[in-house]
mmCIF file with all atom_site columns, all heavy atoms in Angstrom:
data_model
loop_
_atom_site.group_PDB
_atom_site.id
_atom_site.type_symbol
_atom_site.label_atom_id
_atom_site.label_alt_id
_atom_site.label_comp_id
_atom_site.label_asym_id
_atom_site.label_entity_id
_atom_site.label_seq_id
_atom_site.pdbx_PDB_ins_code
_atom_site.Cartn_x
_atom_site.Cartn_y
_atom_site.Cartn_z
_atom_site.occupancy
_atom_site.B_iso_or_equiv
_atom_site.pdbx_formal_charge
_atom_site.auth_seq_id
_atom_site.auth_comp_id
_atom_site.auth_asym_id
_atom_site.auth_atom_id
_atom_site.pdbx_PDB_model_num
ATOM 1  N N   . GLN A 1 1   ? 31.187 -21.596 22.866 1.00 0.00 ? 1466 GLN A N   1
ATOM 2  C CA  . GLN A 1 1   ? 31.600 -22.429 23.975 1.00 0.00 ? 1466 GLN A CA  1
ATOM 3  C C   . GLN A 1 1   ? 31.377 -21.737 25.307 1.00 0.00 ? 1466 GLN A C   1
ATOM 4  O O   . GLN A 1 1   ? 31.076 -22.393 26.306 1.00 0.00 ? 1466 GLN A O   1
ATOM 5  C CB  . GLN A 1 1   ? 33.069 -22.792 23.810 1.00 0.00 ? 1466 GLN A CB  1
ATOM 6  C CG  . GLN A 1 1   ? 33.324 -23.711 22.633 1.00 0.00 ? 1466 GLN A CG  1
ATOM 7  C CD  . GLN A 1 1   ? 34.801 -23.917 22.398 1.00 0.00 ? 1466 GLN A CD  1
ATOM 8  O OE1 . GLN A 1 1   ? 35.607 -23.005 22.537 1.00 0.00 ? 1466 GLN A OE1 1
ATOM 9  N NE2 . GLN A 1 1   ? 35.177 -25.126 22.031 1.00 0.00 ? 1466 GLN A NE2 1
ATOM 10 N N   . LEU A 1 2   ? 31.546 -20.427 25.349 1.00 0.00 ? 1467 LEU A N   1
ATOM 11 C CA  . LEU A 1 2   ? 31.217 -19.627 26.518 1.00 0.00 ? 1467 LEU A CA  1
ATOM 12 C C   . LEU A 1 2   ? 30.200 -18.582 26.085 1.00 0.00 ? 1467 LEU A C   1
ATOM 13 O O   . LEU A 1 2   ? 30.462 -17.825 25.163 1.00 0.00 ? 1467 LEU A O   1
ATOM 14 C CB  . LEU A 1 2   ? 32.452 -18.932 27.107 1.00 0.00 ? 1467 LEU A CB  1
ATOM 15 C CG  . LEU A 1 2   ? 33.508 -19.819 27.740 1.00 0.00 ? 1467 LEU A CG  1
ATOM 16 C CD1 . LEU A 1 2   ? 34.750 -19.010 28.060 1.00 0.00 ? 1467 LEU A CD1 1
ATOM 17 C CD2 . LEU A 1 2   ? 32.969 -20.480 29.007 1.00 0.00 ? 1467 LEU A CD2 1
ATOM 18 N N   . GLN A 1 3   ? 29.077 -18.551 26.758 1.00 0.00 ? 1468 GLN A N   1
ATOM 19 C CA  . GLN A 1 3   ? 27.996 -17.649 26.373 1.00 0.00 ? 1468 GLN A CA  1
ATOM 20 C C   . GLN A 1 3   ? 27.737 -16.663 27.493 1.00 0.00 ? 1468 GLN A C   1
ATOM 21 O O   . GLN A 1 3   ? 27.328 -17.066 28.592 1.00 0.00 ? 1468 GLN A O   1
ATOM 22 C CB  . GLN A 1 3   ? 26.743 -18.456 26.057 1.00 0.00 ? 1468 GLN A CB  1
ATOM 23 C CG  . GLN A 1 3   ? 26.944 -19.447 24.920 1.00 0.00 ? 1468 GLN A CG  1
ATOM 24 C CD  . GLN A 1 3   ? 25.753 -20.360 24.721 1.00 0.00 ? 1468 GLN A CD  1
ATOM 25 O OE1 . GLN A 1 3   ? 24.680 -20.111 25.253 1.00 0.00 ? 1468 GLN A OE1 1
ATOM 26 N NE2 . GLN A 1 3   ? 25.935 -21.407 23.951 1.00 0.00 ? 1468 GLN A NE2 1
ATOM 27 N N   . PHE A 1 21  ? 27.923 -18.894 30.701 1.00 0.00 ? 1486 PHE A N   1
ATOM 28 C CA  . PHE A 1 21  ? 27.587 -20.309 30.718 1.00 0.00 ? 1486 PHE A CA  1
ATOM 29 C C   . PHE A 1 21  ? 28.551 -21.066 29.804 1.00 0.00 ? 1486 PHE A C   1
ATOM 30 O O   . PHE A 1 21  ? 28.759 -20.666 28.666 1.00 0.00 ? 1486 PHE A O   1
ATOM 31 C CB  . PHE A 1 21  ? 26.143 -20.499 30.259 1.00 0.00 ? 1486 PHE A CB  1
ATOM 32 C CG  . PHE A 1 21  ? 25.758 -21.923 29.995 1.00 0.00 ? 1486 PHE A CG  1
ATOM 33 C CD1 . PHE A 1 21  ? 25.645 -22.827 31.038 1.00 0.00 ? 1486 PHE A CD1 1
ATOM 34 C CD2 . PHE A 1 21  ? 25.516 -22.377 28.714 1.00 0.00 ? 1486 PHE A CD2 1
ATOM 35 C CE1 . PHE A 1 21  ? 25.285 -24.140 30.813 1.00 0.00 ? 1486 PHE A CE1 1
ATOM 36 C CE2 . PHE A 1 21  ? 25.151 -23.690 28.477 1.00 0.00 ? 1486 PHE A CE2 1
ATOM 37 C CZ  . PHE A 1 21  ? 25.042 -24.578 29.520 1.00 0.00 ? 1486 PHE A CZ  1
ATOM 38 N N   . GLY A 1 109 ? 34.355 -15.980 25.660 1.00 0.00 ? 1574 GLY A N   1
ATOM 39 C CA  . GLY A 1 109 ? 32.970 -15.840 25.245 1.00 0.00 ? 1574 GLY A CA  1
ATOM 40 C C   . GLY A 1 109 ? 32.852 -14.745 24.199 1.00 0.00 ? 1574 GLY A C   1
ATOM 41 O O   . GLY A 1 109 ? 33.824 -14.071 23.857 1.00 0.00 ? 1574 GLY A O   1
ATOM 42 N N   . GLN A 1 110 ? 31.620 -14.514 23.727 1.00 0.00 ? 1575 GLN A N   1
ATOM 43 C CA  . GLN A 1 110 ? 31.415 -13.579 22.628 1.00 0.00 ? 1575 GLN A CA  1
ATOM 44 C C   . GLN A 1 110 ? 31.340 -12.139 23.083 1.00 0.00 ? 1575 GLN A C   1
ATOM 45 O O   . GLN A 1 110 ? 31.400 -11.233 22.263 1.00 0.00 ? 1575 GLN A O   1
ATOM 46 C CB  . GLN A 1 110 ? 30.129 -13.939 21.851 1.00 0.00 ? 1575 GLN A CB  1
ATOM 47 C CG  . GLN A 1 110 ? 28.836 -13.394 22.443 1.00 0.00 ? 1575 GLN A CG  1
ATOM 48 C CD  . GLN A 1 110 ? 28.353 -14.158 23.654 1.00 0.00 ? 1575 GLN A CD  1
ATOM 49 O OE1 . GLN A 1 110 ? 29.041 -15.010 24.207 1.00 0.00 ? 1575 GLN A OE1 1
ATOM 50 N NE2 . GLN A 1 110 ? 27.138 -13.850 24.085 1.00 0.00 ? 1575 GLN A NE2 1
#
Side-chain angles (χ1 to χ4, degrees):
Q1466 292 173 322
L1467 292 171
Q1468 300 173 14
F1486 169 69
Q1575 84 283 10

